Amino acid sequence: MQQTSGEDEAAPAFDAVQADVGKRLDDVAKILAGALVTVAGVMTALGLTSDLVFVALNNESWPIYVASLCAILAIVCSIVALLIHPTGRGNVWKTAVLVVGVILYMVALSVSVVGAAKAAGGNGRPTIGDVRLEGPRSGLRLSFGVQADGVETWAKVGVYVDAIDEKGNPLEGSPDLYESSMRPDDRGRIKQDVSVPISAPPGAWGLEIVASNAGGTDDCDAPAVHGAACTTIQLP
């Protein structure tokens, strides 16, 4: 049976429509191909610098890992979509792959915002430096500096000075010789110099300075991310 001219014209027209749909889907795929760059741009726009990225990864900031993984998977979806031939069935598969890619793309963008905020907050691990002990035992003055970056607005760094024996244990019945709660500035930073007179109790071998962050532990030997910073100095 001979094919009519109407059917002959319909077939090329249908192919042209499928090709046009395939081209539009390819445009979407090309957009998804830049997912990782877009996610990085969002994080940069929110103030996530390269230094903070390393801090965040060191602190196990899961949103950055999730955002990066989703962005990479979105790129994979875009590559797969570009490789699918723009036929009727091919466009169906291409659409399905791109729907998954777009979802991953949106998740990556959303989580990147959380990641940038979390990284900017950091975990506020403090450090102790420039420790000096001056004067005779009867009139000692202890000086030291405390620094911390990425301290959340509501958080604080607790600083204590205790008298210890030769084994590094706190003297029984001896109160804290110094205690302070330090709050961060509007950029989440703490940088304070402390200089206080110290009256060491009898039997004290030295002094221990402990700086602990919110949600952390005061145990100097604790194998924890939020562990305390500790420094010991011997009395004259």
Side-chain angles (χ1 to χ4, degrees):
M1 182 177 179
Q2 190 173 2
Q3 201 173 31
T4 64
S5 60
E7 292 174 336
D8 291 337
E9 293 175 358
F14 179 77
D15 291 340
V17 170
Q18 293 301 325
D20 183 62
V21 172
K23 181 179 179 303
R24 293 177 183 275
L25 292 175
D26 286 345
D27 291 339
V28 176
K30 291 174 183 177
I31 294 174
L32 293 182
L36 201 58
V37 175
T38 305
V39 168
V42 169
M43 291 185 177
T44 302
L46 293 174
L48 187 60
T49 63
S50 58
D51 291 338
L52 282 179
V53 169
F54 290 117
V55 171
L57 295 178
N58 185 51
N59 293 339
E60 301 180 2
S61 183
W62 63 265
I64 292 183
Y65 289 104
V66 173
S68 300
L69 178 61
C70 288
I72 291 171
L73 292 177
I75 294 172
V76 172
C77 288
S78 72
I79 294 173
V80 172
L82 288 170
L83 294 176
I84 297 176
H85 194 65
T87 61
R89 178 174 294 181
N91 284 341
V92 172
W93 280 105
K94 184 176 290 191
T95 301
V97 171
L98 288 179
V99 167
V100 175
V102 169
I103 292 174
L104 290 170
Y105 182 74
M106 298 306 295
V107 170
L109 290 179
S110 300
V111 176
S112 66
V113 175
V114 178
K118 187 176 178 65
N123 70 0
R125 285 181 292 195
T127 58
I128 302 171
D130 195 21
V131 181
R132 301 188 309 275
L133 193 58
E134 301 168 325
R137 190 174 180 116
S138 57
L140 291 172
R141 175 165 288 273
L142 176 65
S143 302
F144 59 92
V146 178
Q147 294 188 39
D149 293 314
V151 182
E152 296 181 356
T153 305
W154 56 266
K156 64 181 181 180
V157 169
V159 180
Y160 313 91
V161 177
D162 295 315
I164 57 174
D165 59 22
E166 292 185 9
K167 296 182 179 179
N169 299 319
L171 293 180
E172 292 186 8
S174 176
D176 293 333
L177 302 179
Y178 174 81
E179 180 178 352
S180 176
S181 293
M182 300 181 179
R183 293 284 185 178
D185 60 17
D186 55 358
R187 296 180 124 185
R189 297 177 303 186
I190 290 176
K191 186 176 182 180
Q192 292 191 28
D193 294 321
V194 178
S195 181
V196 292
I198 293 292
S199 179
W205 175 86
L207 303 174
E208 182 180 56
I209 308 169
V210 180
S212 61
N213 56 342
T217 174
D218 292 339
D219 186 358
C220 298
D221 298 323
V225 173
H226 296 276
C230 304
T231 298
T232 300
I233 185 170
Q234 186 177 358
L235 292 168

